[in-house]
Amino acid sequence: MKITWSPLAIDRASEIAEYISLDNPTAASKWIDDIFEKVLILNSMPKMGRTVPEINRKEIRGIIFGNYRIIYRIEEMSIAILTIRHTKQILPVDELIA
C-alpha cells in the first residue's frame, strides 16, 4: 500500500519536532525518524490501529506513538496519514474529514 501524508499531518510532525528541538535537536531528529518508521508498519498491517472514537468510522483509525496519536484513513490502495495529536489534546473532527 502507498502511504501519503496530508499537509496537516506534515505540519503537525514539523511543529512537534521543532518544539522538541528547542531542548534537544538530536531527539527531535530521532523522533521524526521513529514516527516515519512507525507509520511504515501500516503497509503490512493497515488495520492495526483502533477505530477513532470521535468519529467511529471503520476506515479512520489511530495508532499510539509515545504521547501522540497518529490518525490515518485506510483507502482502497493507500493509507492517508491525516493528523498527529498529543493524546491529551481534543481531536477536532474536521481534521479527520480531509
Side-chain angles (χ1 to χ4, degrees):
M1 292 195 124
K2 180 181 176 183
I3 297 176
T4 59
W5 286 69
S6 73
L8 177 62
I10 292 169
D11 286 348
R12 294 263 187 248
S14 296
E15 290 167 3
I16 295 163
E18 189 175 312
Y19 180 76
I20 294 169
S21 74
L22 295 174
D23 287 331
N24 189 336
T26 303
S29 180
K30 181 175 177 359
W31 187 88
I32 288 291
D33 291 344
D34 291 349
I35 198 167
F36 277 95
E37 281 185 36
K38 179 76 170 188
V39 165
L40 283 177
I41 295 170
L42 296 174
N43 272 326
S44 59
M45 296 187 297
K47 293 185 179 178
M48 72 181 269
R50 71 180 183 123
T51 303
V52 175
E54 291 90 340
I55 195 160
N56 199 26
R57 286 176 36 191
K58 67 180 182 175
E59 74 275 11
I60 297 180
R61 297 177 173 267
I63 54 175
I64 300 297
F65 175 72
N67 292 325
Y68 297 91
R69 287 198 295 170
I70 303 167
I71 309 299
Y72 64 98
R73 181 177 56 233
I74 300 172
E75 299 174 347
E76 202 169 308
M77 298 300 289
S78 64
I79 296 169
I81 307 302
L82 302 176
T83 191
I84 302 167
R85 283 285 179 163
H86 193 281
T87 55
K88 293 184 179 182
Q89 286 180 308
I90 294 172
L91 181 63
V93 175
D94 62 332
E95 289 187 9
L96 305 179
I97 315 295

PDB file of all heavy atoms in Angstrom, residues 5 7-21 28 31-32 35-36 84:
ATOM      1  N   TRP A   5       0.973  11.423   3.242  1.00  0.00           N
ATOM      2  CA  TRP A   5       0.832  12.309   4.410  1.00  0.00           C
ATOM      3  C   TRP A   5       0.084  13.555   3.964  1.00  0.00           C
ATOM      4  O   TRP A   5       0.465  14.194   2.982  1.00  0.00           O
ATOM      5  CB  TRP A   5       2.205  12.695   4.942  1.00  0.00           C
ATOM      6  CG  TRP A   5       2.906  11.590   5.668  1.00  0.00           C
ATOM      7  CD1 TRP A   5       3.419  10.442   5.129  1.00  0.00           C
ATOM      8  CD2 TRP A   5       3.170  11.532   7.066  1.00  0.00           C
ATOM      9  NE1 TRP A   5       3.991   9.669   6.109  1.00  0.00           N
ATOM     10  CE2 TRP A   5       3.868  10.316   7.311  1.00  0.00           C
ATOM     11  CE3 TRP A   5       2.912  12.384   8.127  1.00  0.00           C
ATOM     12  CZ2 TRP A   5       4.287   9.941   8.570  1.00  0.00           C
ATOM     13  CZ3 TRP A   5       3.340  12.007   9.396  1.00  0.00           C
ATOM     14  CH2 TRP A   5       4.013  10.799   9.616  1.00  0.00           C
ATOM     15  N   PRO A   7      -1.031  17.482   4.175  1.00  0.00           N
ATOM     16  CA  PRO A   7      -0.275  18.682   4.588  1.00  0.00           C
ATOM     17  C   PRO A   7      -0.411  18.952   6.088  1.00  0.00           C
ATOM     18  O   PRO A   7       0.554  19.354   6.738  1.00  0.00           O
ATOM     19  CB  PRO A   7      -0.897  19.799   3.748  1.00  0.00           C
ATOM     20  CG  PRO A   7      -1.414  19.098   2.528  1.00  0.00           C
ATOM     21  CD  PRO A   7      -1.893  17.757   3.027  1.00  0.00           C
ATOM     22  N   LEU A   8      -1.593  18.710   6.637  1.00  0.00           N
ATOM     23  CA  LEU A   8      -1.800  18.926   8.072  1.00  0.00           C
ATOM     24  C   LEU A   8      -0.911  18.001   8.900  1.00  0.00           C
ATOM     25  O   LEU A   8      -0.289  18.425   9.876  1.00  0.00           O
ATOM     26  CB  LEU A   8      -3.271  18.727   8.447  1.00  0.00           C
ATOM     27  CG  LEU A   8      -3.600  18.851   9.933  1.00  0.00           C
ATOM     28  CD1 LEU A   8      -3.273  20.256  10.452  1.00  0.00           C
ATOM     29  CD2 LEU A   8      -5.057  18.515  10.181  1.00  0.00           C
ATOM     30  N   ALA A   9      -0.839  16.732   8.536  1.00  0.00           N
ATOM     31  CA  ALA A   9      -0.008  15.772   9.277  1.00  0.00           C
ATOM     32  C   ALA A   9       1.464  16.163   9.197  1.00  0.00           C
ATOM     33  O   ALA A   9       2.191  16.086  10.198  1.00  0.00           O
ATOM     34  CB  ALA A   9      -0.224  14.364   8.745  1.00  0.00           C
ATOM     35  N   ILE A  10       1.907  16.600   8.044  1.00  0.00           N
ATOM     36  CA  ILE A  10       3.292  17.052   7.891  1.00  0.00           C
ATOM     37  C   ILE A  10       3.549  18.280   8.761  1.00  0.00           C
ATOM     38  O   ILE A  10       4.573  18.365   9.450  1.00  0.00           O
ATOM     39  CB  ILE A  10       3.613  17.336   6.413  1.00  0.00           C
ATOM     40  CG1 ILE A  10       3.618  16.022   5.623  1.00  0.00           C
ATOM     41  CG2 ILE A  10       4.952  18.054   6.275  1.00  0.00           C
ATOM     42  CD1 ILE A  10       3.658  16.191   4.130  1.00  0.00           C
ATOM     43  N   ASP A  11       2.599  19.216   8.754  1.00  0.00           N
ATOM     44  CA  ASP A  11       2.740  20.413   9.597  1.00  0.00           C
ATOM     45  C   ASP A  11       2.811  20.036  11.073  1.00  0.00           C
ATOM     46  O   ASP A  11       3.636  20.565  11.821  1.00  0.00           O
ATOM     47  CB  ASP A  11       1.576  21.378   9.378  1.00  0.00           C
ATOM     48  CG  ASP A  11       1.654  22.117   8.060  1.00  0.00           C
ATOM     49  OD1 ASP A  11       2.713  22.072   7.394  1.00  0.00           O
ATOM     50  OD2 ASP A  11       0.634  22.741   7.682  1.00  0.00           O
ATOM     51  N   ARG A  12       1.951  19.136  11.501  1.00  0.00           N
ATOM     52  CA  ARG A  12       1.931  18.719  12.907  1.00  0.00           C
ATOM     53  C   ARG A  12       3.264  18.058  13.292  1.00  0.00           C
ATOM     54  O   ARG A  12       3.824  18.340  14.346  1.00  0.00           O
ATOM     55  CB  ARG A  12       0.789  17.753  13.182  1.00  0.00           C
ATOM     56  CG  ARG A  12      -0.562  18.359  13.024  1.00  0.00           C
ATOM     57  CD  ARG A  12      -1.116  18.812  14.349  1.00  0.00           C
ATOM     58  NE  ARG A  12      -2.481  19.243  14.144  1.00  0.00           N
ATOM     59  CZ  ARG A  12      -2.877  20.495  14.249  1.00  0.00           C
ATOM     60  NH1 ARG A  12      -2.029  21.440  14.589  1.00  0.00           N
ATOM     61  NH2 ARG A  12      -4.125  20.827  14.031  1.00  0.00           N
ATOM     62  N   ALA A  13       3.759  17.168  12.445  1.00  0.00           N
ATOM     63  CA  ALA A  13       5.037  16.499  12.730  1.00  0.00           C
ATOM     64  C   ALA A  13       6.161  17.531  12.810  1.00  0.00           C
ATOM     65  O   ALA A  13       7.005  17.460  13.713  1.00  0.00           O
ATOM     66  CB  ALA A  13       5.334  15.450  11.664  1.00  0.00           C
ATOM     67  N   SER A  14       6.149  18.492  11.921  1.00  0.00           N
ATOM     68  CA  SER A  14       7.175  19.547  11.929  1.00  0.00           C
ATOM     69  C   SER A  14       7.099  20.394  13.189  1.00  0.00           C
ATOM     70  O   SER A  14       8.129  20.716  13.796  1.00  0.00           O
ATOM     71  CB  SER A  14       7.027  20.448  10.699  1.00  0.00           C
ATOM     72  OG  SER A  14       7.265  19.724   9.531  1.00  0.00           O
ATOM     73  N   GLU A  15       5.878  20.758  13.585  1.00  0.00           N
ATOM     74  CA  GLU A  15       5.695  21.567  14.795  1.00  0.00           C
ATOM     75  C   GLU A  15       6.188  20.826  16.035  1.00  0.00           C
ATOM     76  O   GLU A  15       6.854  21.413  16.900  1.00  0.00           O
ATOM     77  CB  GLU A  15       4.213  21.928  14.975  1.00  0.00           C
ATOM     78  CG  GLU A  15       3.682  22.904  13.981  1.00  0.00           C
ATOM     79  CD  GLU A  15       2.155  23.006  13.994  1.00  0.00           C
ATOM     80  OE1 GLU A  15       1.499  22.337  14.834  1.00  0.00           O
ATOM     81  OE2 GLU A  15       1.623  23.743  13.156  1.00  0.00           O
ATOM     82  N   ILE A  16       5.864  19.557  16.113  1.00  0.00           N
ATOM     83  CA  ILE A  16       6.268  18.759  17.274  1.00  0.00           C
ATOM     84  C   ILE A  16       7.791  18.627  17.312  1.00  0.00           C
ATOM     85  O   ILE A  16       8.425  18.813  18.354  1.00  0.00           O
ATOM     86  CB  ILE A  16       5.578  17.383  17.263  1.00  0.00           C
ATOM     87  CG1 ILE A  16       4.066  17.553  17.438  1.00  0.00           C
ATOM     88  CG2 ILE A  16       6.156  16.460  18.342  1.00  0.00           C
ATOM     89  CD1 ILE A  16       3.244  16.334  17.051  1.00  0.00           C
ATOM     90  N   ALA A  17       8.384  18.320  16.172  1.00  0.00           N
ATOM     91  CA  ALA A  17       9.844  18.178  16.106  1.00  0.00           C
ATOM     92  C   ALA A  17      10.538  19.503  16.438  1.00  0.00           C
ATOM     93  O   ALA A  17      11.558  19.517  17.134  1.00  0.00           O
ATOM     94  CB  ALA A  17      10.267  17.692  14.729  1.00  0.00           C
ATOM     95  N   GLU A  18       9.970  20.596  15.968  1.00  0.00           N
ATOM     96  CA  GLU A  18      10.538  21.912  16.265  1.00  0.00           C
ATOM     97  C   GLU A  18      10.502  22.182  17.774  1.00  0.00           C
ATOM     98  O   GLU A  18      11.469  22.683  18.347  1.00  0.00           O
ATOM     99  CB  GLU A  18       9.763  22.992  15.516  1.00  0.00           C
ATOM    100  CG  GLU A  18      10.390  24.357  15.584  1.00  0.00           C
ATOM    101  CD  GLU A  18       9.649  25.359  14.714  1.00  0.00           C
ATOM    102  OE1 GLU A  18       9.377  25.034  13.542  1.00  0.00           O
ATOM    103  OE2 GLU A  18       9.351  26.456  15.221  1.00  0.00           O
ATOM    104  N   TYR A  19       9.409  21.831  18.406  1.00  0.00           N
ATOM    105  CA  TYR A  19       9.273  22.013  19.847  1.00  0.00           C
ATOM    106  C   TYR A  19      10.301  21.153  20.597  1.00  0.00           C
ATOM    107  O   TYR A  19      10.975  21.626  21.518  1.00  0.00           O
ATOM    108  CB  TYR A  19       7.852  21.672  20.299  1.00  0.00           C
ATOM    109  CG  TYR A  19       7.642  21.843  21.777  1.00  0.00           C
ATOM    110  CD1 TYR A  19       7.495  23.102  22.341  1.00  0.00           C
ATOM    111  CD2 TYR A  19       7.595  20.739  22.619  1.00  0.00           C
ATOM    112  CE1 TYR A  19       7.309  23.268  23.707  1.00  0.00           C
ATOM    113  CE2 TYR A  19       7.406  20.893  23.985  1.00  0.00           C
ATOM    114  CZ  TYR A  19       7.265  22.159  24.521  1.00  0.00           C
ATOM    115  OH  TYR A  19       7.101  22.316  25.866  1.00  0.00           O
ATOM    116  N   ILE A  20      10.439  19.898  20.194  1.00  0.00           N
ATOM    117  CA  ILE A  20      11.408  19.003  20.829  1.00  0.00           C
ATOM    118  C   ILE A  20      12.821  19.543  20.645  1.00  0.00           C
ATOM    119  O   ILE A  20      13.655  19.491  21.559  1.00  0.00           O
ATOM    120  CB  ILE A  20      11.285  17.571  20.266  1.00  0.00           C
ATOM    121  CG1 ILE A  20       9.928  16.955  20.638  1.00  0.00           C
ATOM    122  CG2 ILE A  20      12.426  16.677  20.763  1.00  0.00           C
ATOM    123  CD1 ILE A  20       9.605  15.667  19.907  1.00  0.00           C
ATOM    124  N   SER A  21      13.095  20.097  19.477  1.00  0.00           N
ATOM    125  CA  SER A  21      14.448  20.567  19.172  1.00  0.00           C
ATOM    126  C   SER A  21      14.877  21.761  20.017  1.00  0.00           C
ATOM    127  O   SER A  21      16.066  22.044  20.135  1.00  0.00           O
ATOM    128  CB  SER A  21      14.592  20.902  17.686  1.00  0.00           C
ATOM    129  OG  SER A  21      13.934  22.105  17.376  1.00  0.00           O
ATOM    130  N   ALA A  28      14.863  15.428  18.525  1.00  0.00           N
ATOM    131  CA  ALA A  28      13.862  15.824  17.522  1.00  0.00           C
ATOM    132  C   ALA A  28      14.077  15.070  16.220  1.00  0.00           C
ATOM    133  O   ALA A  28      13.117  14.575  15.611  1.00  0.00           O
ATOM    134  CB  ALA A  28      13.926  17.326  17.286  1.00  0.00           C
ATOM    135  N   TRP A  31      12.989  11.556  16.737  1.00  0.00           N
ATOM    136  CA  TRP A  31      11.529  11.474  16.805  1.00  0.00           C
ATOM    137  C   TRP A  31      10.941  11.409  15.396  1.00  0.00           C
ATOM    138  O   TRP A  31      10.064  10.592  15.118  1.00  0.00           O
ATOM    139  CB  TRP A  31      10.973  12.676  17.578  1.00  0.00           C
ATOM    140  CG  TRP A  31       9.512  12.592  17.835  1.00  0.00           C
ATOM    141  CD1 TRP A  31       8.895  11.996  18.894  1.00  0.00           C
ATOM    142  CD2 TRP A  31       8.451  13.108  17.011  1.00  0.00           C
ATOM    143  NE1 TRP A  31       7.518  12.123  18.771  1.00  0.00           N
ATOM    144  CE2 TRP A  31       7.230  12.788  17.623  1.00  0.00           C
ATOM    145  CE3 TRP A  31       8.435  13.814  15.808  1.00  0.00           C
ATOM    146  CZ2 TRP A  31       6.004  13.148  17.079  1.00  0.00           C
ATOM    147  CZ3 TRP A  31       7.212  14.168  15.258  1.00  0.00           C
ATOM    148  CH2 TRP A  31       6.013  13.839  15.895  1.00  0.00           C
ATOM    149  N   ILE A  32      11.441  12.262  14.510  1.00  0.00           N
ATOM    150  CA  ILE A  32      10.955  12.250  13.115  1.00  0.00           C
ATOM    151  C   ILE A  32      11.243  10.899  12.466  1.00  0.00           C
ATOM    152  O   ILE A  32      10.365  10.298  11.833  1.00  0.00           O
ATOM    153  CB  ILE A  32      11.586  13.408  12.305  1.00  0.00           C
ATOM    154  CG1 ILE A  32      10.995  14.746  12.731  1.00  0.00           C
ATOM    155  CG2 ILE A  32      11.406  13.195  10.801  1.00  0.00           C
ATOM    156  CD1 ILE A  32       9.539  14.966  12.341  1.00  0.00           C
ATOM    157  N   ILE A  35       8.872   8.224  13.940  1.00  0.00           N
ATOM    158  CA  ILE A  35       7.454   8.300  13.563  1.00  0.00           C
ATOM    159  C   ILE A  35       7.252   7.783  12.138  1.00  0.00           C
ATOM    160  O   ILE A  35       6.272   7.090  11.847  1.00  0.00           O
ATOM    161  CB  ILE A  35       6.862   9.710  13.763  1.00  0.00           C
ATOM    162  CG1 ILE A  35       5.326   9.615  13.795  1.00  0.00           C
ATOM    163  CG2 ILE A  35       7.305  10.687  12.691  1.00  0.00           C
ATOM    164  CD1 ILE A  35       4.630  10.869  14.284  1.00  0.00           C
ATOM    165  N   PHE A  36       8.204   8.060  11.247  1.00  0.00           N
ATOM    166  CA  PHE A  36       8.091   7.532   9.893  1.00  0.00           C
ATOM    167  C   PHE A  36       8.224   6.010   9.894  1.00  0.00           C
ATOM    168  O   PHE A  36       7.507   5.328   9.154  1.00  0.00           O
ATOM    169  CB  PHE A  36       9.110   8.190   8.960  1.00  0.00           C
ATOM    170  CG  PHE A  36       8.646   9.515   8.424  1.00  0.00           C
ATOM    171  CD1 PHE A  36       9.006  10.687   9.048  1.00  0.00           C
ATOM    172  CD2 PHE A  36       7.831   9.578   7.301  1.00  0.00           C
ATOM    173  CE1 PHE A  36       8.565  11.918   8.569  1.00  0.00           C
ATOM    174  CE2 PHE A  36       7.386  10.802   6.815  1.00  0.00           C
ATOM    175  CZ  PHE A  36       7.756  11.969   7.452  1.00  0.00           C
ATOM    176  N   ILE A  84      -1.630  14.321  13.423  1.00  0.00           N
ATOM    177  CA  ILE A  84      -0.949  13.819  14.617  1.00  0.00           C
ATOM    178  C   ILE A  84      -1.373  14.730  15.757  1.00  0.00           C
ATOM    179  O   ILE A  84      -1.332  15.952  15.622  1.00  0.00           O
ATOM    180  CB  ILE A  84       0.581  13.871  14.452  1.00  0.00           C
ATOM    181  CG1 ILE A  84       1.018  13.066  13.231  1.00  0.00           C
ATOM    182  CG2 ILE A  84       1.277  13.374  15.729  1.00  0.00           C
ATOM    183  CD1 ILE A  84       2.453  13.319  12.826  1.00  0.00           C
TER     184      ILE A  84
END
